[in-house]
């Protein structure tokens, strides 16, 4: 990590009033949860469209559930890492002037202590009835191979799959947060999945543009919008930043 960059980012954070964070799979990588775009179109050996699209669900719901049972078990076997911990510390410091928008479904931000979390792509913890629409919080307990609702309907994972709309209330809260922050942090996302990635432009296009800071292993599609970046594992760069700020 370049110490000068850490200082630059720390200065931006010191003058921040309202922070919005967008996280992606990279923030959980050091907890042991693999990212999506690591292996050409395959996700844990499945084609993404087979396990994360409405068409895949129509074709073979049991295959989809088997995949999500495994993801739930994995999420239950890992722990938040120091990057998650720093994002929870920032929320402690900024209170309701801090909003965390995540594309992750693993629940690790909440387990690290964040409360103001907007889950744009749903949650592994929840099921949704395909008949009556009831959403149930199931924690990470083992579920029936093909879970059913009390109404008799088949339940599906409450995850936003490719080609599906984001939950409108969450999206509206997320755009509001991006549109009212003065510092926007992008952590561990390739910034290629829309509309989530458009929050970066929203933050930048305010009358008084937010300062944008990126934390990633590499440059991404978001990098052209970025005012400063810390390139390295976020489980190291975020703790280095909080240490520089003496907020730890
Ligand atoms: P990706 O897998 O596309 O990108 C992960 C990003 O994290 C990459 O830019 C990596 O360079 C970066 N990265 C990896 N390890 C890191 C580390 N230790 N520290 C910092 N950065 C690291 O994941 P997302 O951007 O989250 O959607 O993908 C967005 C969405 O696409 C997901 O929510 C999912 C999906 O496929 C749905 O399921 C709807």
């Amino acid at each position: 990590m370049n110490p000068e960059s850490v200082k630059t980012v720390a200065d931006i954070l010191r003058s921040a009033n309202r922070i919005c964070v967008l996280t992606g799979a990279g923030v959980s990588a050091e907890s042991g949860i693999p990212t999506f775009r690591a292996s050409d179109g395959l996700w844990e050996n499945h084609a993404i469209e087979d396990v994360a699209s409405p068409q895949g669900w129509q074709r073979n719901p049991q295959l989809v559930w088997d995949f999500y049972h495994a993801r739930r078990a994995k999420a239950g076997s890992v722990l938040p890492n120091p990057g998650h911990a720093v994002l929870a510390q920032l929320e402690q410091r900024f209170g309701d002037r801090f909003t965390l928008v995540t594309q992750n479904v693993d629940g690790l931000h909440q387990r690290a202590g964040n409360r103001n979390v907007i889950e744009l792509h749903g949650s592994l913890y929840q099921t949704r009835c395909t008949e009556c629409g009831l959403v149930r919080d199931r924690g990470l307990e083992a579920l029936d191979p093909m879970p059913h609702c009390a109404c008799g309907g088949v339940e599906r994972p409450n995850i936003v799959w490719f080609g599906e709309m984001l939950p409108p209330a969450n999206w509206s809260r997320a755009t509001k947060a991006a549109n009212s922050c003065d510092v926007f942090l992008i952590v561990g996302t390739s910034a290629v999945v829309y509309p989530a990635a458009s929050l970066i432009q929203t933050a930048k296009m305010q009358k008084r543009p937010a300062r944008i800071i990126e934390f990633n292993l590499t440059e991404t599609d978001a990098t052209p919008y970025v005012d400063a970046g810390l390139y390295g594992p976020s489980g190291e760069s975020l703790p280095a930043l909080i240490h520089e700020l003496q907020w730890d």
Side-chain angles (χ1 to χ4, degrees), residues 145-200:
M146 178 61 65
H148 282 75
C149 178
C151 82
V154 169
E155 289 178 299
R156 56 165 276 180
N158 194 27
I159 302 278
V160 178
W161 288 326
F162 286 99
E164 295 186 314
M165 265 184 61
L166 304 190
N170 283 1
W171 180 243
S172 134
R173 282 174 63 208
T175 46
K176 204 167 150 208
N179 210 10
S180 58
C181 67
D182 56 349
V183 173
F184 189 96
L185 312 182
I186 315 168
V187 187
T189 175
S190 54
V192 296
V193 172
Y194 281 78
S198 73
L199 294 172
I200 301 160

Side-chain angles (χ1 to χ4, degrees), residues 23-27 29-30 35-38 43 48 52 68 71 103-105 121 159-162 187-193 215-220 232-235 237:
T23 68
V27 75
E30 288 154 89
T35 58
F36 304 103
R37 285 173 186 75
W43 191 356
I48 289 177
Y68 280 96
R71 289 190 73 196
Q103 300 166 87
N104 299 344
V105 295
H121 291 164
I159 302 278
V160 178
W161 288 326
F162 286 99
V187 187
T189 175
S190 54
V192 296
V193 172
F215 302 79
N216 203 303
L217 294 182
T218 60
E219 296 197 345
T220 68
S234 53
S237 56

Side-chain angles (χ1 to χ4, degrees), residues 38-69:
S39 49
D40 29 296
L42 291 183
W43 191 356
E44 309 258 299
N45 292 323
H46 294 288
I48 289 177
E49 58 275 17
D50 285 343
V51 291
S53 76
Q55 295 78 10
W57 171 256
Q58 291 301 330
R59 272 197 301 271
N60 190 346
Q62 193 61 63
L63 173 77
V64 174
W65 257 123
D66 290 346
F67 174 73
Y68 280 96
H69 290 318

Side-chain angles (χ1 to χ4, degrees), residues 70-123:
R71 289 190 73 196
R72 284 165 51 85
K74 178 77 188 174
S77 72
V78 304
L79 292 171
N81 66 58
H84 294 108
V86 166
L87 294 175
Q89 279 174 284
L90 287 177
E91 180 171 335
Q92 283 252 321
R93 189 170 188 95
F94 283 85
D96 59 8
R97 294 177 292 118
F98 178 97
T99 306
L100 196 157
V101 183
T102 187
Q103 300 166 87
N104 299 344
V105 295
D106 56 31
L108 287 175
H109 288 303
Q110 290 90 331
R111 284 173 62 194
N114 281 108
R115 290 292 160 260
N116 197 3
V117 179
I118 302 172
E119 290 177 312
L120 280 186
H121 291 164
S123 170

Side-chain angles (χ1 to χ4, degrees), residues 188-212:
T189 175
S190 54
V192 296
V193 172
Y194 281 78
S198 73
L199 294 172
I200 301 160
Q201 284 101 317
T202 300
K204 193 77 186 174
M205 278 160 41
Q206 295 178 70
K207 210 181 275 168
R208 290 189 58 186
R211 312 293 298 279
I212 316 276

